[in-house]
Amino acid sequence: MHQERDASYNHVLKYTGIFGGVQGLNIIINLVRNKLVALLLGPDGMGLASLFNTTVNFISQSTNLGISFSAVKHISSLYEENDEEKMAHFVKVVRVWSLITALVGMAICVLIGPLLSDYTFSWGDHTLHFILLSPAVGLMAITGGETAILKGMRRLRSLATIQVYTVFAALFISVPLYYVFGRTAIVPVIVSLILVSMLLTIRYSYRLYPLRLRGSRGILGEGMSMVKLGVAFVVAGIMGSGAEMLVRSYLNVTGNLDVVGLYNAGFVLTITYASMVFSSMEADYFPRLSSVSQDVSQINQTVNRQIEVSLLVAAPMLAVLIIGLPVLMPLLYSSQFIPVIAMAQVAVFSMYVKSISLPISYITLAKGDSIAYMVLESCYDVIFVLLIIAGYQLWGLYGTGLALSLSYLFDFLMVGGYAYFHYHYRMSGRVLFYTAIQLALGIAVYVVSLIDNQVFYWLLGSILCVVSMLISVFILRRHAEG
């Protein structure tokens, strides 16, 4: 019964809408924040903040042992069994492991501070900055463990509330600090926002299971299966964060902080914000896929249905994004960011591809094929870095946008081919048909975006965006009612 209900079209659409809606609200608030921060810091300040953030994320993902991901599956299984005693005990296991990874992560951040400074920057000594950022790494590890508890317990409302409070905190903390202290506030802002996120998360998770340290000795061995499951996820995360850090460091050394800030603005507006449609994958889609991982026909149905919903919801938004970027970029940032518009427009196509490839990529994790997942993700990261470097060398910032779309296309061909031969995954005719329609409309919108005549630009672009939206609404309603 549970599997039939969770596999329904309505269920997929509902949770894609819920998580996407929350992310949409977060994005609106973040857009206001980014606009103000961009005005206060400028492209070089935004680039500096981007370098610090990506470095912190890299160290965090390198040291957290994948607990924030692997613990969800274990807790979810215990939740389905309705065994309160085992659940309380495993929550303690998660918290002990999270504390250990927090301390290790902080120590590593301090120890390799000089190396990070030399590797990331071509000017100045930023060792002290990385030492001061070490608490952020520890706080992220604690937050990850507590978030896993909430996800496993299906506390979706709590997770949504935390996200909303966190993004408001980011607005009301960062803007005043940047206004008063400028770029010197970047490190305090990063640590403060991660601290707020942790405090909000433990407020909800401790209500479910209050913190109890008594009886924690000797339970580390019980978490080894959880840790082993997360290792592949960690390696993939290290490669991903490392690739992002390497790209930004390359742009900083080859170009300057302005280039990093411009690239980051285009990346955030197209890749990060457009990804709100995919925010339900880990919390809802992955557990559903895992529950049918031994049935080929069920896997095909679950994956194809998720692709359909993701593509149909994302495509109209992506079309609007392409045509609206000349207005959105200077409006949401400043006129200094106009040079990145062409890069962002061509990078939007990466999200069309991601709506198809991401559901397929989860098959390897649902199957427990952690080595394959790690290898596939690592291959993508290598290609991503090489294409960005080549694209920037050949066509500047525009080349980085083109490289983003090409790297996602490579990822789709790679994970799709692997799933086809190893898991017998078959893409349905409906997925192919919907993809052909929406991708053709997206290409048409992009062609229109190259027109200099403003009347034709907005008239034709608006018509194509409306057509894309109407097609998606018609198909989604038909399936939801059926």
Side-chain angles (χ1 to χ4, degrees), residues 307-318:
I307 292 174
E308 289 174 28
V309 173
S310 297
L311 176 66
L312 291 171
V313 172
M317 296 168 48
L318 298 175

Side-chain angles (χ1 to χ4, degrees), residues 110-288:
V110 171
L111 290 174
I112 67 173
L115 179 62
L116 291 172
S117 177
D118 294 339
Y119 176 77
T120 309
F121 293 91
S122 60
W123 51 272
D125 184 1
H126 297 269
T127 301
L128 180 60
H129 289 146
F130 289 112
I131 292 174
L132 295 175
L133 284 168
S134 62
V137 177
L139 295 172
M140 288 174 73
I142 300 297
T143 305
E146 300 301 322
T147 301
I149 294 169
L150 292 174
K151 286 181 178 178
M153 294 288 292
R154 313 290 202 275
R155 294 300 190 268
L156 303 182
R157 180 178 295 180
S158 298
L159 290 167
T161 304
I162 290 168
Q163 289 184 31
V164 173
Y165 284 160
T166 300
V167 78
F168 272 112
L171 175 64
F172 293 119
I173 291 175
S174 62
V175 172
L177 287 176
Y178 286 141
Y179 179 77
V180 176
F181 300 104
R183 288 169 50 170
T184 57
I186 289 175
V187 171
V189 165
I190 291 174
V191 176
S192 298
L193 296 184
I194 295 174
L195 174 62
V196 169
S197 177
M198 187 203 73
L199 293 175
L200 287 169
T201 305
I202 64 175
R203 176 174 178 251
Y204 287 93
S205 63
Y206 283 8
R207 284 180 182 178
L208 294 173
Y209 292 97
L211 180 64
R212 293 189 179 94
L213 298 178
R214 183 177 299 177
S216 297
R217 288 185 178 182
I219 65 174
L220 287 180
E222 301 177 39
M224 288 307 298
S225 59
M226 172 185 66
V227 172
K228 288 177 181 177
L229 179 64
V231 167
F233 201 72
V234 168
V235 174
I238 291 173
M239 292 294 290
S241 296
E244 291 290 349
M245 189 171 68
L246 183 60
V247 162
R248 284 165 172 78
S249 297
Y250 166 79
L251 294 176
N252 181 39
V253 174
T254 307
N256 51 46
L257 274 179
D258 283 357
V259 173
V260 178
L262 291 170
Y263 169 82
N264 191 66
F267 187 91
V268 167
L269 198 54
T270 56
I271 309 300
T272 305
Y273 287 167
S275 293
M276 69 178 186
V277 176
F278 316 122
S279 58
S280 67
M281 292 286 187
E282 187 176 319
D284 175 59
Y285 168 66
F286 177 58
R288 284 191 291 111

